[in-house]
Amino acid sequence: MVTSKISLNLQPNERSLCMTKKEKILKIALELIVNQGIQETPMSQISKVSGVAMGTIYHHFKSKNEIVNAIYIYLKKEMGNALLEEKDSSKDYKALFYQFWNNLFEFYQKNEMAFKFLQRFVQSPLISDETKVEGLEHYKPIISFFEEGLRNNILKPIDIVLLTETIHGNIVSLVQIHFQQTIVVNKKIIDQAIDMSWSSVANKNYE
Amino acid sequence: MVTSKISLNLQPNERSLCMTKKEKILKIALELIVNQGIQETPMSQISKVSGVAMGTIYHHFKSKNEIVNAIYIYLKKEMGNALLEEKDSSKDYKALFYQFWNNLFEFYQKNEMAFKFLQRFVQSPLISDETKVEGLEHYKPIISFFEEGLRNNILKPIDIVLLTETIHGNIVSLVQIHFQQTIVVNKKIIDQAIDMSWSSVANKNYE
Amino acid sequence: MVTSKISLNLQPNERSLCMTKKEKILKIALELIVNQGIQETPMSQISKVSGVAMGTIYHHFKSKNEIVNAIYIYLKKEMGNALLEEKDSSKDYKALFYQFWNNLFEFYQKNEMAFKFLQRFVQSPLISDETKVEGLEHYKPIISFFEEGLRNNILKPIDIVLLTETIHGNIVSLVQIHFQQTIVVNKKIIDQAIDMSWSSVANKNYE
Amino acid sequence: MVTSKISLNLQPNERSLCMTKKEKILKIALELIVNQGIQETPMSQISKVSGVAMGTIYHHFKSKNEIVNAIYIYLKKEMGNALLEEKDSSKDYKALFYQFWNNLFEFYQKNEMAFKFLQRFVQSPLISDETKVEGLEHYKPIISFFEEGLRNNILKPIDIVLLTETIHGNIVSLVQIHFQQTIVVNKKIIDQAIDMSWSSVANKNYE
DNA sequence: TATGAATGAGCATTCATTCAT
DNA sequence: AATGAATGAATGCTCATTCAT
């Protein structure tokens, strides 16, 4: 099962009054930015809503930009953790594919803020290259998983980049449908979606 | 074949000095907004670069927002046109699927500004619901095409919304790979991508 | 006779509404900055006191710094003009020396703001090198005058830089005494001061 | 000979860890303020560079302003000491004049920070009247020296204030030339400068 | 239509100072 | 005495929009 709502808790051992402030700032900033947009979220509002004085915010973060990057990194890490949860190596490849697909879908579904934030800022110039690279780290295990599938001829011989991006795109499409509420995304729809993904990448004998 | 580069030409019959100005404004605004971001593109810059005075811009567009919406509508129309080009009803269903897939991919590929703008603003609150509805119109023919496939059991019985969004998502994924330049998107990759899409939606007997 | 109070009038032929605004801004900024200091003079105050909106100020000047530089350049020009006024070539060298000395003294005395501003910003890093170079231009005629005196053995063989700086320093000392109001600077004191200057540079036979 | 580099040592009997901190603060503040300007030198920087915590600085000084005043007073005292050094009453008046002139010049020349700080803040409203009065004390012996010269008809009958200010201005002019590095201030230039000063104040029979 | 100077509310950020530890 | 996190008012500057010409 996937972690429930992100709570922006930092490492337990790092906990302190200071951490609590940082947490508050990031948590509030995430909400406000997703709901209103970056430019529509003044630092003064983050300060007021989080109850942390302006100066204190700047004590913890060099700039508004740094807050955005901090949120990005944090959410990517959470996503990375959620993605691989409950990896049961006894499952066969297809079952694991379903597992991972569903993990990410559920993570996004249960963390609307995280999904919208990450979607909006993947390509943004506000996110530094350094942060982007740091974010990519969390995809490594899943890439290995696909490479294994390719090696064993379970998956069609598709370029790994294309493969990864397409599957991720499929998940994102479903999450977007979910949040747009065009249709209700129930178990049946989710299964259809995962099935589409699997059909698109699996060799015939493994379908 | 797909229309070449968008030139933001408005209806020939509306042509006049004024039209030329409107065109200029939209063209320049599109470029600047895609390259710099909306908030980073002041009206004064649009004015300066396009050579159209501030006041004149406000003669043609009620607000900055209206410019963004005008661009959105215009690009969606162009996209709609490109999508259905060279529809040869003599082709079989699968061939048409390939055709349409490729049409949209090529359109995005050849119109980087259009792609990036549309991607960035699909979910944006800056785009009014009215504009979004207007934009959706252009998908109708392709939806009909999918419905036909479903009726004739060529396609798996997938929810039409899921189906459309997933295929569109697949195309977008490839375009993003193309512009990120992670890998070179050549004929082989494109074929792999379309094939993935087709496998994900087609009934076995039609693969 | 020396120009009376500086009025920050720009070239008559350039006069226009715009000029008037620029003038107002510079005039008010000069006063406020001299009386309160630069950092103690917010742009908002310059705006309020001058009756010119913040945005308008930034329409005319790129930054607060540019205003300071504009004032500096303007005052240096005024000073340059005042310095050479009523140059009567029929006068002998000593008389001309007295004339120029007195010109500059009177200029400073009658333009307290100018004097204090120039004194405070000569060495300031806020004044760009470009501005400083532009300011130095106005000293050229007086340097020529001193060189002539050296050539004709009227003046002692003193390094020209030392000579100029010392005489200017003497004038400045008197102006400072005047504004500090330690003593009343009357005709007698002024004559004493000029005489000190002349004694310090003139060859004995010319005293 | 003139005291060497100012070290901001406070009274030996007051020495303690605390004194050392006060010293550090003043020393660092002087450097930073001269190099960057007052407003450009935040207390936080003084704290960081001096290695003394913000709170501790405020233990020793009531405010930033008080630091500036403390530096001013300290430097004035140093200057006062340097000015009268090696007073050899066996020397004749002119020789003493040369001695004092040179003392002050060398002090300024060897203590660039002190010179620049004192020059910048003489007229500053940041320096309280009380501090200014305290600073003036150190000029008293030199004023007596000039009064003696006036009494004995060695000096021209010049107003004492004008006399003092002019001579001090002459020294300052040379120091400024030195630090601007327009020309190299060597023994010859210094002699020229002192000679100018002497000529300007001495009665003919004493030149 | 067309112009572009003028407007002023709004924002990110800074920094002297305080105070709980 | 010493610390440094916390405070929040204050500032330089931006920019969508208006309006007199």
Side-chain angles (χ1 to χ4, degrees), chain A residues 59-71:
Chain A
H59 195 76
H60 292 291
F61 301 96
K62 220 172 53 209
S63 66
K64 193 179 184 182
N65 220 310
E66 200 172 285
I67 294 180
V68 176
N69 279 266
I71 297 176

Side-chain angles (χ1 to χ4, degrees), chain D:
Chain D
M1 245 251 275
V2 164
T3 353
S4 56
K5 302 273 175 189
I6 287 177
S7 53
L8 273 173
N9 293 323
L10 299 174
Q11 309 307 339
N13 54 326
E14 295 181 53
R15 282 195 157 288
S16 75
L17 201 59
C18 150
M19 269 311 132
T20 297
K21 296 229 175 205
K22 254 187 154 172
E23 249 183 85
K24 264 190 204 160
I25 297 165
L26 292 177
K27 188 183 143 103
I28 294 296
L30 171 60
E31 269 175 33
L32 294 176
I33 288 173
V34 165
N35 290 329
Q36 311 174 335
I38 275 226
Q39 310 295 339
E40 291 70 30
T41 304
M43 291 296 271
S44 58
Q45 193 188 17
I46 297 178
S47 163
K48 198 181 297 171
V49 177
S50 68
V52 178
M54 295 274 311
T56 311
I57 295 182
Y58 278 89
H59 260 293
H60 293 293
F61 301 97
K62 216 173 59 209
S63 67
K64 192 181 184 182
N65 220 311
E66 200 172 285
I67 294 180
V68 176
N69 278 267
I71 297 176
Y72 189 88
I73 289 174
Y74 179 73
L75 295 182
K76 273 288 177 185
K77 197 171 68 191
E78 287 288 313
M79 190 212 68
N81 293 338
L83 181 55
L84 300 176
E85 266 194 19
E86 215 177 323
K87 179 174 176 172
D88 178 356
S89 26
S90 71
K91 282 182 182 169
D92 70 2
Y93 195 87
K94 185 174 177 181
L96 278 175
F97 179 92
Y98 270 66
Q99 171 82 59
F100 295 148
W101 205 106
N102 199 61
N103 276 353
L104 194 51
F105 172 71
E106 275 196 29
F107 173 81
Y108 282 150
Q109 190 187 37
K110 288 183 176 164
N111 297 283
E112 185 170 359
M113 297 291 134
F115 174 70
K116 290 187 172 169
F117 185 94
L118 290 174
Q119 274 304 104
R120 197 174 301 164
F121 290 102
V122 222
Q123 310 281 6
S124 169
L126 293 179
I127 300 298
S128 71
D129 287 345
E130 204 185 10
T131 299
K132 278 175 187 162
V133 168
E134 204 172 332
L136 284 177
E137 287 301 302
H138 304 292
Y139 284 114
K140 287 202 170 157
I142 211 72
I143 291 177
S144 304
F145 174 71
F146 283 141
E147 284 170 341
E148 186 198 327
L150 289 169
R151 254 196 324 277
N152 302 342
N153 278 319
I154 303 173
L155 304 182
K156 299 181 202 165
I158 302 165
D159 181 283
I160 184 76
V161 173
L162 174 61
L163 199 158
T164 332
E165 292 296 323
T166 302
I167 301 302
H168 187 259
N170 287 348
I171 298 170
V172 165
S173 293
L174 187 62
V175 179
Q176 254 153 6
I177 291 171
H178 171 67
F179 287 127
Q180 281 163 204
Q181 302 186 300
T182 331
I183 59 173
V184 174
V185 175
N186 50 26
K187 184 78 175 68
K188 192 185 141 199
I189 297 281
I190 297 174
D191 283 341
Q192 281 184 0
I194 306 187
D195 183 64
M196 283 174 81
S197 271
W198 179 253
S199 312
S200 71
V201 297
N203 265 321
K204 293 235 171 104
N205 10 357
Y206 287 93
E207 281 191 41

Side-chain angles (χ1 to χ4, degrees), chain B residues 72-189:
Chain B
Y72 189 89
I73 289 174
Y74 179 73
L75 295 181
K76 272 290 176 187
K77 198 171 69 189
E78 288 287 313
M79 189 212 66
N81 293 339
L83 181 56
L84 299 176
E85 267 194 20
E86 214 179 322
K87 177 174 180 172
D88 178 355
S89 27
S90 70
K91 282 182 181 168
D92 69 1
Y93 195 87
K94 185 175 176 179
L96 277 174
F97 180 92
Y98 270 67
Q99 171 82 62
F100 294 149
W101 206 105
N102 200 59
N103 276 352
L104 193 51
F105 172 72
E106 275 196 27
F107 172 80
Y108 282 150
Q109 190 186 38
K110 288 183 176 161
N111 297 283
E112 185 170 0
M113 297 293 133
F115 173 71
K116 291 187 170 168
F117 186 94
L118 290 174
Q119 275 304 104
R120 196 174 300 164
F121 291 102
V122 224
Q123 310 280 9
S124 168
L126 292 179
I127 301 296
S128 71
D129 288 345
E130 203 186 11
T131 299
K132 277 175 187 160
V133 169
E134 203 171 333
L136 285 177
E137 286 301 302
H138 304 293
Y139 284 115
K140 287 200 169 157
I142 209 72
I143 291 178
S144 305
F145 174 72
F146 283 142
E147 284 171 339
E148 185 197 328
L150 290 169
R151 257 198 319 280
N152 303 342
N153 278 322
I154 303 173
L155 303 182
K156 301 181 199 164
I158 302 165
D159 181 282
I160 183 73
V161 173
L162 176 61
L163 200 156
T164 332
E165 291 296 323
T166 303
I167 302 302
H168 187 258
N170 287 347
I171 297 169
V172 165
S173 293
L174 188 61
V175 180
Q176 252 153 9
I177 292 171
H178 170 67
F179 287 128
Q180 281 165 200
Q181 303 187 298
T182 330
I183 59 173
V184 175
V185 175
N186 51 26
K187 186 76 175 71
K188 193 182 140 199
I189 297 282

Side-chain angles (χ1 to χ4, degrees), chain A residues 2-205:
Chain A
V2 163
T3 355
S4 56
K5 302 276 176 187
I6 286 178
S7 53
L8 272 173
N9 294 323
L10 299 174
Q11 310 306 339
N13 54 327
E14 293 183 53
R15 283 194 158 291
S16 75
L17 202 59
C18 150
M19 272 308 141
T20 297
K21 296 234 173 202
K22 257 188 153 171
E23 252 183 79
K24 264 189 206 161
I25 296 165
L26 290 177
K27 189 184 144 100
I28 295 295
L30 172 60
E31 271 173 32
L32 293 176
I33 287 173
V34 166
N35 290 329
Q36 310 175 337
I38 276 226
Q39 310 295 339
E40 291 70 29
T41 303
M43 291 297 269
S44 58
Q45 194 188 16
I46 298 179
S47 164
K48 199 181 295 175
V49 177
S50 68
V52 178
M54 295 273 311
T56 310
I57 297 182
Y58 278 90
H59 195 76
H60 292 291
F61 301 96
K62 220 172 53 209
S63 66
K64 193 179 184 182
N65 220 310
E66 200 172 285
I67 294 180
V68 176
N69 279 266
I71 297 176
Y72 188 89
I73 287 173
Y74 180 72
L75 295 181
K76 273 288 176 187
K77 198 170 69 189
E78 288 289 312
M79 190 213 66
N81 292 340
L83 180 55
L84 299 177
E85 267 194 21
E86 214 177 324
K87 177 173 178 172
D88 178 355
S89 26
S90 70
K91 283 183 182 167
D92 69 1
Y93 195 88
K94 185 174 176 180
L96 276 175
F97 180 91
Y98 270 67
Q99 171 82 60
F100 295 149
W101 206 105
N102 198 59
N103 276 353
L104 195 51
F105 172 71
E106 275 195 28
F107 172 81
Y108 282 150
Q109 190 187 36
K110 289 183 175 159
N111 297 283
E112 185 171 359
M113 296 294 132
F115 174 71
K116 291 189 171 168
F117 186 94
L118 290 174
Q119 274 304 105
R120 196 173 301 162
F121 290 102
V122 223
Q123 310 280 7
S124 169
L126 292 179
I127 302 297
S128 72
D129 287 346
E130 204 186 11
T131 299
K132 279 175 185 160
V133 168
E134 205 172 330
L136 285 177
E137 286 301 302
H138 304 292
Y139 285 114
K140 288 200 168 158
I142 211 69
I143 292 178
S144 304
F145 174 72
F146 283 141
E147 283 170 341
E148 185 197 328
L150 290 169
R151 258 197 318 279
N152 302 342
N153 279 321
I154 304 173
L155 303 181
K156 301 181 200 164
I158 302 165
D159 180 283
I160 184 75
V161 173
L162 176 60
L163 200 156
T164 331
E165 291 294 324
T166 302
I167 302 302
H168 187 259
N170 287 347
I171 298 169
V172 165
S173 293
L174 188 61
V175 180
Q176 254 153 8
I177 291 171
H178 170 68
F179 287 128
Q180 281 164 200
Q181 303 187 298
T182 332
I183 60 173
V184 175
V185 175
N186 52 24
K187 184 78 176 72
K188 194 183 137 198
I189 296 283
I190 298 175
D191 282 341
Q192 282 184 2
I194 305 188
D195 184 65
M196 284 175 80
S197 271
W198 180 252
S199 316
S200 70
V201 297
N203 266 321
K204 291 244 170 90
N205 12 353

Side-chain angles (χ1 to χ4, degrees), chain C residues 124-175:
Chain C
S124 170
L126 294 178
I127 301 297
S128 72
D129 287 345
E130 205 186 9
T131 298
K132 279 176 186 161
V133 168
E134 205 172 330
L136 285 177
E137 287 300 303
H138 304 292
Y139 285 114
K140 288 201 169 156
I142 211 72
I143 292 178
S144 304
F145 174 72
F146 284 140
E147 285 171 339
E148 187 198 325
L150 290 169
R151 256 197 321 278
N152 302 341
N153 279 320
I154 302 173
L155 305 181
K156 300 181 201 163
I158 302 165
D159 181 281
I160 184 75
V161 173
L162 175 61
L163 199 157
T164 332
E165 292 294 325
T166 302
I167 301 302
H168 187 259
N170 288 346
I171 298 170
V172 165
S173 293
L174 187 61
V175 180

